[in-house]
Amino acid sequence: MKLRLAVSLLSIALAPMLLAKTRMLVEDPDNVVVGRYAITASQRVEAQQAAEAFLASGKLPEIQKAYAVRYLAVDAALTPEQSGREPQSMTVAEKRFNRYGVEVDPNQSTRPVVIYDTMHHRVIHGRLYTVIWLPEKYYYLRMDDYVVMYIGSWAGEGKESLQK
């Protein structure tokens, strides 16, 4: 009876820690995210189409990597409203990076991307992210809590995809 009571109390004491959500790693100096914006319906559709086109007709090794990593970073475009909020986001990110001794040029251009979940075939969190750095196509980077594979604005193997 005492053992049952002890296990129950221990379970109650540990439950909040076990059920807590993962804290975003926004304070990490390796986190390249500058801004996070609500995504519009047209941005969501374009990102989904690009990701699904990549998954349906990409090269087999890259598709296998995409499913292994699970998340894809797909290029997107900012709306005028989102672009207007970008300088404020850059100021906040610059302060974050300065705490860790990482120098960031405040005039540096940012790249908007959307994170696509290959398992559930959806854009996660309904967010568009702006980042200060992107790797080559089909390589990885960490954005907040996610390791993502960058695919660009995948449009097949034509001239357009080779230029990006």
Side-chain angles (χ1 to χ4, degrees):
M1 186 62 115
K2 290 181 183 180
L3 182 60
R4 187 179 294 168
L5 179 64
V7 170
S8 298
L9 290 176
L10 183 63
S11 298
I12 290 171
L14 293 178
M17 289 183 279
L18 295 175
L19 298 175
K21 290 186 177 183
T22 304
R23 183 173 167 255
M24 286 179 46
L25 299 171
V26 296
E27 291 299 319
D28 185 0
D30 294 328
N31 185 8
V32 297
V33 175
V34 172
R36 296 164 189 83
Y37 307 105
I39 194 169
T40 64
S42 63
Q43 290 169 326
R44 180 187 312 272
V45 168
E46 287 175 17
Q48 285 178 331
Q49 288 174 345
E52 289 299 328
F54 166 74
L55 293 172
S57 57
K59 294 178 183 171
L60 186 60
E62 282 81 18
I63 293 172
Q64 290 173 335
K65 276 197 271 185
Y67 280 111
V69 173
R70 183 174 177 182
Y71 299 109
L72 301 177
V74 181
D75 281 334
L78 291 174
T79 65
E81 179 185 330
Q82 292 165 336
S83 295
R85 293 181 15 217
E86 190 63 11
Q88 178 186 3
S89 296
M90 182 57 107
T91 303
V92 171
E94 186 179 6
K95 289 177 187 175
R96 182 185 80 220
F97 286 123
N98 284 340
R99 278 195 296 260
Y100 297 101
V102 178
E103 292 185 27
V104 176
D105 179 13
N107 299 322
Q108 180 177 353
S109 63
T110 58
R111 303 268 308 268
V113 294
V114 174
I115 300 177
Y116 184 81
D117 184 349
T118 60
M119 297 299 184
H120 297 290
H121 299 279
R122 64 183 177 90
V123 171
I124 64 168
H125 302 307
R127 285 188 186 156
L128 181 135
Y129 298 84
T130 54
V131 296
I132 57 172
W133 173 82
L134 285 171
E136 295 179 33
K137 278 188 172 185
Y138 314 123
Y139 285 92
Y140 316 105
L141 75 149
R142 202 176 91 227
M143 295 174 57
D144 290 345
D145 281 345
Y146 305 100
V147 173
V148 299
M149 184 174 100
Y150 176 63
I151 64 166
S153 58
W154 205 86
E157 293 298 319
K159 228 188 246 185
E160 296 83 19
S161 68
L162 294 175
Q163 292 174 350
K164 296 196 181 214

